[in-house]
Amino acid sequence: MCQELKTLRLNLKFQNYSRRSSFMKKLAFLLDAWVLLPALPFLAVMSQHTVNIPIMDDYDAILGFITSWIKSGWPDRLHLLFSQYNEHRLLYSRIIYVLYYSIFGDINFQNLIFFADLQLLAVAAISAWFIKRCVGGKFWYIVALVWTFCIFDTNTYEAASIAMYGMQNYGILLLFFASLFFFSREGKGNLIAGGLIEFIMIFSSGNGMIAAFFVVLLNLRQKDKLKKIVSIAVAAVCIPLYFVSYTKVVQPGQLPFNPGTVITYFIQETGAPVSFENSLISGLVILAILVGSFIAVFRSNAKLWPILCILGFVLASMGTAALFRACMVGAQFQTSRYLIYPQLVIAVTFSLGWVWLETKNFRWPVVGIGLLAIVGIFGSNFNNGKAGFMRMEARAESLPYYHTNVPLAKSYSDAACEAGVYCIEMNK
């Protein structure tokens, strides 16, 4: 009897300890959430200057898709989810569109934009989790704060104010970060979540396949064999399936391939968040600091591997954009919807520099200069980005159809209104 009482007391103590431990973890998370504060100006501008009006690809990729979805049976609907759109497949975005329509019975572009932009909060939160885990130290929050500044730079206003652009460009980042997150944690539930997200990720954008490569790379560095098997199996099966019935898209205005043009585009793309006018110089400076920091810390800190996988994905995505877009008439290295990638390069560069300087006497002066530069870039870009949000809003409201092919946009709009999905006339 006494032994049973002792066992019961021990169990109660353990349960109370587990509850307190769980509560303390939640409390610690809430206290750490302040590193997400730089998101507020971005989200405030977005909420003020977005409208319930389709812009550009919204007509084709959202109105056209949902209208077809309504008219189709389930076998055709499955095909629609995986079907090609330009050079991409958009599984994740389409799942969100279908869920939204199924719940609310219509399409509201302002709400979709809000959801698309909130994905960046999840990306920033996962980034902070990796920073705390991989970089560590009592001042880890400084690095996490820099990541939030870079992620929520208003330079990306184009993706942040067009539902389709935001859902895809921010969505693929969320899927990649989430897959890394779950595969970095123990337990079968996390393993299943990581594999499922990797599957969706591959079919959700062209660079989803690049993301899967770095998810596999992360797992190859881990001891868990099951993680390696699952991530490799998903990539090995899904990447070939991506190209089943795939039609190569020929971009208009294609010029002869020139390696110099591609390299210059890539460097300017890297420096674009700092300065459009001096992008080549700023890009070279960022890449030089990145390479120096990478060489200094690569062999000395195995915990940094998730951060290095993020870097690899971002650089590979930028390199792919340079490879396929640089040699085109009017190619623009500072295209707003893609600037999230070079902004993440800056964030990773700061992180690697932080680790490299950890044992240096001059660490804090250099870190201080770097932090001031990051905040200065965020501040100087804010007005430019806000003006971009306002231009998108004004064009959407003033133009009959904000699209390069007005008759096509009108046909999608009319069909959507007839089907009860969305009527543009009611929102002008």
Side-chain angles (χ1 to χ4, degrees), residues 220-264:
L220 289 176
R221 296 280 297 185
Q222 301 197 73
K223 295 179 181 179
D224 193 327
K225 290 184 179 179
L226 196 55
K227 289 181 180 180
K228 297 176 184 179
I229 292 170
V230 170
S231 60
I232 291 172
V234 171
V237 171
C238 295
I239 290 175
L241 287 176
Y242 186 95
F243 294 101
V244 172
S245 303
Y246 184 85
T247 304
K248 184 179 178 180
V249 177
V250 180
Q251 297 286 353
Q254 196 73 41
L255 299 172
F257 180 78
N258 186 322
T261 302
V262 173
I263 293 170
T264 302

Side-chain angles (χ1 to χ4, degrees), residues 1 35 114 162 188-189 241 246 305 312 365 377 393:
M1 184 69 179
V35 299
F114 184 72
I162 301 178
K188 289 185 178 179
L241 287 176
Y246 184 85
W305 198 250
I377 292 167
E393 177 189 25

